[in-house]
């Protein structure tokens, strides 16, 4: 496990929906030491919401990178993060995976079942995002994405048989309270807190996730 917090200042980041995006992004960078980058944003025209990218068929309106070098711009510098959101206050908050964490993603129903199972087992999960697409994204140590297929095989599961995916290097998650078009905002199913400042290894959470996905089929 690894420390993803800067210490006592990392007291639980509360439900973020009403917080300004700038201050939330700063807390992620300063308190959790996560790299952060500003993404696209939503614009209103004629009473309709549109993605800043201008694509009418954008699959993630208001919640995706805005330029090819987005990963190189991601930073945990508070000054740089403040500058991003001062220039674009409504930009989504994107967190690159494969750096301080990977994520393991399952359907929301399976994710909630897995969280209940982990609680019974006495396992403290890392932060968990509830996406607008009905999925839960579990934060684990970097490298978890690469480990997952072998872990599933060792547990007797064929990876393709489960709706269990992962995000590692070169990918990202849209962090709460980023909005995705009219579908709502990402939320924390398990928010960052002092209790989960140490991220679990994939080996600790994959058994519960696989079990829940198997039950959810």
């Amino acid at each position: 496990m690894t420390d993803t917090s800067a210490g006592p200042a990392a007291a639980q980041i509360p439900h973020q929906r009403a917080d300004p995006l700038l201050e939330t992004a700063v807390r992620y960078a300063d308190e959790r030491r996560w790299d952060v980058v500003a993404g696209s944003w939503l614009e209103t025209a004629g009473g309709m919401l549109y993605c800043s990218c201008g694509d009418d068929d954008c699959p993630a309106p208001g919640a995706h990178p805005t330029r090819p070098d987005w990963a190189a711009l991601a930073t945990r510098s508070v000054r740089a993060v403040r500058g991003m959101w001062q220039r674009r206050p409504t930009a989504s908050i994107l967190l690159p995976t494969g750096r301080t964490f990977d994520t393991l993603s399952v359907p929301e129903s399976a994710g909630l079942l897995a969280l209940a199972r982990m609680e019974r087992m006495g396992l403290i999960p890392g932060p968990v995002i509830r996406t607008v697409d009905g999925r839960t994204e579990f934060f684990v140590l970097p490298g978890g994405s690469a480990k997952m297929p072998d872990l599933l095989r060792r547990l007797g599961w064929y990876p393709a048989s489960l709706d269990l995916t992962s995000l590692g290097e070169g990918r990202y998650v849209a962090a709460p309270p980023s909005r995705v078009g009219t579908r709502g905002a990402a939320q924390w199913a398990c928010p960052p807190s002092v209790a989960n400042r140490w991220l679990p290894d994939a080996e600790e959470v994959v058994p519960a996730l696989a079990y829940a996905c198997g039950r959810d089929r």
Side-chain angles (χ1 to χ4, degrees), residues 2-43:
T2 189
D3 185 351
T4 60
S5 166
Q12 178 168 319
I13 297 173
H15 190 59
Q16 302 291 343
R17 204 179 300 181
D19 285 0
L21 286 159
L22 184 154
E23 295 305 324
T24 304
V26 165
R27 283 199 296 275
Y28 291 154
D30 188 35
E31 297 174 7
R32 298 301 291 199
R33 305 307 296 160
W34 289 337
D35 287 344
V36 176
V37 66
S40 58
W41 57 93
L42 293 172
E43 298 180 339

Side-chain angles (χ1 to χ4, degrees), residues 6-128:
Q12 178 168 319
I13 297 173
H15 190 59
Q16 302 291 343
R17 204 179 300 181
D19 285 0
L21 286 159
L22 184 154
E23 295 305 324
T24 304
V26 165
R27 283 199 296 275
Y28 291 154
D30 188 35
E31 297 174 7
R32 298 301 291 199
R33 305 307 296 160
W34 289 337
D35 287 344
V36 176
V37 66
S40 58
W41 57 93
L42 293 172
E43 298 180 339
T44 304
M48 301 290 288
L49 284 176
Y50 296 92
C51 185
S52 60
C53 70
D55 182 357
D56 291 340
D57 297 317
C58 179
H64 62 80
T66 60
R67 43 193 291 176
D69 61 345
W70 65 270
L73 300 176
T75 179
R76 63 189 67 172
S77 162
V78 169
R79 179 177 180 181
V81 171
R82 285 193 179 278
M84 290 182 194
W85 272 270
Q86 285 168 350
R87 291 190 293 272
R88 180 55 60 182
T90 58
S92 54
I93 303 173
L94 306 183
L95 308 176
T97 53
R99 297 187 181 184
T100 52
F101 62 86
D102 284 3
T103 64
L104 306 181
S105 174
V106 298
E108 184 175 308
S109 55
L112 297 180
L113 177 60
L115 283 173
R117 187 174 177 83
M118 290 178 196
E119 182 178 3
R120 291 194 300 270
M121 296 168 60
L123 173 64
I124 299 176
V128 181

